[in-house]
Amino acid sequence: MTSYVITPPRQAAVAVKGRDELFPVRRVYCIGRNYADHAIEMGHDPDRELPFFFQKNADNVNSSGEFPYPAKSSDVHHEIELLVALKSGGVNIKPENALEHVYGYAVGIDMTRRDLQAEMKAARRPWEIGKAFEQSAPVGPISPASEIGHCEAGSISLSVNDETRQQGNLNQMIWKLPEIIAYLSEYYEIGAGDLIMTGTPAGVGPVDRGDVMVGKIEGIGELVVKVV
Ligand code: MN
């Protein structure tokens, strides 16, 4: 048995609906500007340019139902996203085979320190400080694709304190799930345990301590997260 000089960090994991076993998390990939209306609200051209990705850390995944307001920001935004969980992977996966690698789907929120992200964008620096911070990826339980099928259409929405902020449909994604998986696999060896956050529709905005976010995706369910 392998031994370590310090106690190994806890394996990041997400609950699976109807199962006692957890889904172990390896990497978290996030696609940017994947809904035209959100690209426009962020000041970008909604044309179908090549997708781009950033990452969060596996241990940023947060299943606690609470989101602690992070340090060093006064403009923290919600981005409701369909989250894809992979059970296998590889390189140079063809779009027609891509969905075979999907274990299931969940409701996720890409919490963003928008002010820090904006500073990084302006300075042409990496986005991590705005995106990959403690508890920045609230995630609900994964629904296995073997039970619910693949999530290529259906409403996606987020409310804050019962007021609808974001409302869209998964079929509005500029890059579809098979294309996202195939494209990622050209640049990375993707694999079992990887999560992909697939972008957000328009209506992103700030939250404050005490707010309650409710994210919903048709066919998956809802995720309730309190900002603390
Ligand atoms: Mn996002």
Side-chain angles (χ1 to χ4, degrees):
M1 179 183 147
T2 305
S3 58
Y4 299 93
V5 296
I6 60 168
T7 304
R10 182 179 56 86
Q11 168 67 54
V14 181
V16 177
K17 255 183 208 164
R19 300 288 299 260
D20 292 330
E21 299 93 340
L22 301 177
F23 181 91
V25 179
R26 190 183 77 128
R27 297 179 185 169
V28 183
Y29 295 102
C30 309
I31 187 169
R33 292 174 212 144
N34 201 30
Y35 290 75
D37 54 356
H38 173 62
I40 291 168
E41 77 175 345
M42 298 303 287
H44 298 281
D45 190 328
D47 283 352
R48 192 176 145 104
E49 54 185 23
L50 287 175
F52 71 94
F53 294 88
F54 57 90
Q55 284 174 259
K56 290 178 186 265
N57 301 298
D59 73 339
N60 297 152
V61 170
N62 169 3
S63 304
S64 71
E66 292 192 339
F67 171 72
Y69 200 93
K72 296 290 190 184
S73 178
S74 57
D75 191 25
V76 178
H77 282 203
H78 54 76
E79 298 187 357
I80 181 73
E81 312 209 359
L82 171 68
L83 184 143
V84 181
L86 299 185
K87 63 182 177 185
S88 56
V91 297
N92 298 323
I93 294 166
K94 292 188 165 54
E96 55 267 36
N97 302 325
L99 294 182
E100 296 167 9
H101 298 283
V102 174
Y103 175 76
Y105 299 92
V107 180
I109 310 178
D110 168 14
M111 297 304 298
T112 302
R113 292 194 280 211
R114 191 72 75 204
D115 42 5
L116 299 186
Q117 183 198 26
E119 285 176 25
M120 294 301 111
K121 281 184 182 178
R124 299 182 165 214
R125 289 177 180 164
W127 287 9
E128 278 88 346
I129 205 165
K131 288 288 194 179
F133 56 90
E134 276 58 41
Q135 311 295 323
S136 63
V139 170
I142 296 169
S143 295
S146 59
E147 293 173 19
I148 66 163
H150 291 287
C151 297
E152 299 191 272
S155 68
I156 176 171
S157 65
L158 183 134
S159 66
V160 178
N161 304 334
D162 294 325
E163 178 195 334
T164 300
R165 295 269 192 93
Q166 295 189 260
Q167 176 71 60
N169 193 294
L170 299 176
N171 65 16
Q172 296 166 332
M173 285 187 199
I174 297 170
W175 293 91
K176 308 302 183 191
L177 301 178
E179 295 172 317
I180 292 170
I181 293 167
Y183 189 85
L184 261 180
S185 77
E186 293 178 21
Y187 289 86
Y188 299 100
E189 182 168 355
I190 60 176
D194 290 353
L195 302 179
I196 305 170
M197 301 187 78
T198 55
T200 197
V204 302
V207 292
D208 290 312
R209 288 183 183 83
D211 286 348
V212 176
M213 301 181 284
V214 179
K216 292 183 189 174
I217 299 179
E218 189 178 344
I220 301 176
E222 70 176 40
L223 168 65
V224 179
V225 180
K226 183 170 188 186
V227 183
V228 296

